[in-house]
Amino acid sequence: MSINPLKMLSGKVQAMEESATIRMAQKARDLAAKGVSVISLSLGEPDFDTPEFIKEAAYQALKKGNTKYTPVPGTMDLRKAICDKFETENNLHFEPSQIVVSNGAKQSIANICLATLDEGDEAIILAPYWVSYVEIVKFAGGVPVVVSAGIEDDFKVNAAQIREAITEKTKLLIFSSPCNPTGSVYTYDELEEMADVIGENGNILIIADEIYEYINFTGKHASIGAFEKTKNLTATVNGFSKGFSMTGWRLGYMGGPKWLADACNKVQGQVTSGAASFSQAAATVALKTEKTEALAMKEAFLRRRDLIIAKLKEVPGLKVNQPQGAFYVFPDISHYFGTTNGQVTIKDADDFSEAMLTEAHVGTVSGAAFGNDQCIRLSYAASDADLIEAVSRIKNALASFKKI
Ligand code: PMP
Ligand code: GLU
């Protein structure tokens, strides 16, 4: 008897898109495994090792036998350290009972969506957005309502656009700042205008994804949850993957209203339980220590941003803006739509990204995955030599593409 997987799998999972960032990173790895020299600028992952003192704290925790289940929302030590961090760095006031530590910020976002969305509820997502927001919202039964801004607006949506998108069914507003994929940073004033709109409504929860907080080139990071009108309407999500270069440790967290933390705790308690015990012990030390390494990584990213932007500006036809944070650039590549090199034709951003992999051996991600089909994303979490070489390969490959 043959099994038909389509009958076995849920409609929900069949409707789910695979993560484009992860797919493109895998494609680059597959090509490299065939012996091709590929430069992968597809996955958003710092290329630095986790700072030594954080690793040391994990070894010590393991040696002390810190290898058991922790409370589902995280150890009290870590939750207290997160409360202190929120207080001193973000002007957000939480008790440990309002914090839920998860297996990455991705799980924090999934917990919140599962805890708040009923079938048909709407979630406003600011585009360009991080790939997983849309799929998590849909998986939770919600309906993504995408509100977009283009390169001419520095990829930043304004408060009036958000006001227009709100309906009686709106439950969530989701965005990241600094933004993945654009690197754009919402200013204090822009956030305050958004906070006015959400505060006036009173029934919408904001998911403020601040995972790139420490990679912000504008100076001070602003949190939308710090405004009086949104302090009870915001779940602030953060984590250790980016600022501390701890992607493999799987540790993120959210701080929000107690009713939401309780609900996330319940969801997580049935799905995964608490995050890894020794990751939490090490992260507690990371939060309590001077952010010297995080600062050094930010400086390195800033230098690389300037390098890759300068190089991309030399590529004919690309439109590039100046990202203010994270480690991504999001050039508009639409000039090349309707071109061919004889073998490969580019009609959209997916084709462009694919062509850069096959023709230039550079891994990128199509902007379509982030809600913008005119652009591609390049991660500059790579060495100077790789960045220079990658853009030079792109430039050379594009030189042979001519209008059809
Ligand atoms: N939010 C954004 C904007 C991201 O880029 C990522 C990707 N790392 C995450 C959340 C999830 O991070 P993690 O699960 O590794 O904490
Ligand atoms: N967030 C990173 C990215 O955007 C890692 C991959 C993922 O989790 O989707 O590339």
Side-chain angles (χ1 to χ4, degrees):
M1 196 179 73
S2 71
I3 292 173
N4 179 357
L6 296 184
K7 285 201 174 152
M8 310 285 276
L9 294 170
S10 68
K12 266 204 283 205
V13 92
Q14 290 187 56
M16 186 184 243
E17 297 270 346
E18 186 190 355
S19 163
T21 50
I22 292 174
R23 186 182 65 240
M24 286 309 287
Q26 190 54 46
K27 274 196 170 184
R29 277 188 216 114
D30 291 346
L31 201 58
K34 288 185 189 149
V36 178
S37 141
V38 178
I39 302 176
S40 178
L41 305 182
S42 42
L43 195 63
E45 174 164 67
D47 55 323
F48 302 105
D49 198 2
T50 302
E52 202 49 44
F53 77 93
I54 302 178
K55 289 190 196 171
E56 187 55 39
Y59 301 145
Q60 294 308 327
L62 284 166
K63 277 194 196 150
K64 276 194 261 162
N66 200 339
T67 56
K68 306 285 194 214
Y69 287 135
T70 71
V72 172
T75 64
M76 189 47 87
D77 276 356
L78 178 54
R79 281 183 288 149
K80 279 187 178 156
I82 291 170
C83 287
D84 287 348
K85 178 248 177 276
F86 272 142
E87 184 74 45
T88 52
E89 297 181 359
N90 309 107
N91 199 23
L92 297 169
H93 320 295
F94 294 120
E95 299 294 326
S97 61
Q98 295 176 266
I99 308 295
V100 179
V101 175
S102 301
N103 297 286
K106 200 180 259 189
Q107 189 185 19
S108 304
I109 295 162
N111 282 344
I112 300 166
C113 290
L114 288 166
T116 55
L117 294 172
D118 277 319
E119 211 60 40
D121 285 342
E122 293 176 1
I124 297 177
I125 300 177
L126 306 192
Y129 48 71
W130 178 48
V131 271
S132 295
Y133 298 153
V134 166
E135 296 308 315
I136 293 174
V137 163
K138 286 198 293 191
F139 203 63
V143 179
V145 175
V146 174
V147 180
S148 304
I151 197 165
E152 60 290 349
D153 293 314
D154 235 352
F155 300 112
K156 290 196 274 183
V157 170
N158 62 45
Q161 288 176 277
I162 296 173
R163 190 190 301 277
E164 233 166 75
I166 292 175
T167 72
E168 294 213 321
K169 290 190 173 168
T170 310
K171 272 272 186 74
L172 292 175
L173 167 69
I174 313 177
F175 71 101
S176 61
S177 177
C179 175
N180 177 1
T182 61
S184 296
V185 173
Y186 282 89
T187 63
Y188 180 93
D189 290 347
E190 287 160 348
L191 291 176
E192 188 168 32
E193 285 172 18
M194 269 192 222
D196 285 340
V197 173
I198 300 300
E200 254 170 49
N201 179 285
N203 291 311
I204 298 169
L205 180 82
I206 304 168
I207 301 182
D209 183 345
E210 303 189 356
I211 195 157
Y212 294 95
E213 171 184 11
Y214 292 147
I215 313 170
N216 179 339
F217 313 133
T218 67
K220 184 103 184 74
H221 171 81
S223 293
I224 194 163
F227 296 105
E228 193 56 34
K229 45 211 155 198
T230 39
K231 73 172 186 208
N232 296 320
L233 292 171
T234 305
T236 304
V237 172
N238 209 323
F240 296 87
S241 287
K242 312 295 170 171
F244 294 99
S245 199
M246 289 172 70
T247 44
W249 298 64
R250 306 312 303 130
L251 217 53
Y253 56 89
M254 81 96 202
K258 170 99 171 40
W259 52 264
L260 181 67
D262 288 346
C264 290
N265 191 359
K266 189 160 73 171
V267 171
Q268 187 166 303
Q270 292 291 18
V271 181
T272 58
S273 295
S277 52
F278 42 91
S279 287
Q280 294 188 55
T284 309
V285 174
L287 280 185
K288 288 182 171 172
T289 307
E290 273 306 302
K291 308 278 176 333
T292 319
E293 278 88 349
L295 203 67
M297 289 191 256
K298 180 183 84 171
E299 293 305 323
F301 286 131
L302 177 57
R303 210 179 33 71
R304 292 165 179 185
R305 177 201 68 177
D306 292 342
L307 173 67
I308 195 166
I309 298 253
K311 291 286 157 199
L312 285 169
K313 284 189 172 159
E314 291 170 9
V315 182
L318 298 198
K319 265 191 253 162
V320 195
N321 74 329
Q322 176 94 331
Q324 299 297 334
F327 40 70
Y328 306 107
V329 274
F330 202 59
D332 183 317
I333 44 78
S334 57
H335 172 80
Y336 289 93
F337 294 174
T339 64
T340 183
N341 67 352
Q343 259 111 41
V344 173
T345 300
I346 298 176
K347 45 178 196 326
D348 56 24
D350 287 356
D351 288 348
F352 187 97
S353 176
E354 217 42 64
M356 290 310 101
L357 189 60
T358 58
E359 311 302 291
H361 300 152
V362 177
T364 62
V365 186
S366 162
F370 306 96
N372 179 312
D373 57 11
Q374 307 291 296
C375 298
I376 58 157
R377 187 189 81 172
L378 300 108
S379 159
Y380 54 85
S383 68
D384 290 10
D386 274 356
L387 295 177
I388 293 168
E389 172 65 14
V391 182
S392 142
R393 288 185 190 184
I394 290 175
K395 188 176 172 192
N396 289 340
L398 287 175
S400 55
F401 278 82
K402 304 280 175 264
K403 288 279 174 208
I404 298 168

